[in-house]
Amino acid sequence: LKSEPNIYVRKAKSNFVIIGVYVDDLPLISNSKSNLTIAKKELAYIFPITYLGPLTHSLGIKITQNRTNHAIS
């Protein structure tokens, strides 16, 4: 995304991984669990990271995931 310098997108065929960068937080979003796992491993190879579980809050916004319906609100 050219207009968002803190958002990075990796596309491969129909799969994608989106990484948002805010200070020391890197929320990752993907439509492929295996690509998400690969991205986490690649980041961990370069940077010391700690996985804190699913994202529940970001920038003061509450985030709710519904995996059954594939929705985030």
Side-chain angles (χ1 to χ4, degrees), residues 17-47:
V17 176
I18 300 172
I19 303 172
V21 178
Y22 181 73
V23 185
D24 62 351
D25 291 329
L26 298 172
L28 292 104
I29 301 166
S30 181
N31 65 339
S32 165
K33 192 169 187 174
S34 62
N35 282 350
L36 187 62
T37 300
I38 290 167
K40 287 180 188 177
K41 286 180 181 179
E42 290 174 344
L43 288 168
Y45 182 76
I46 299 169
F47 306 104

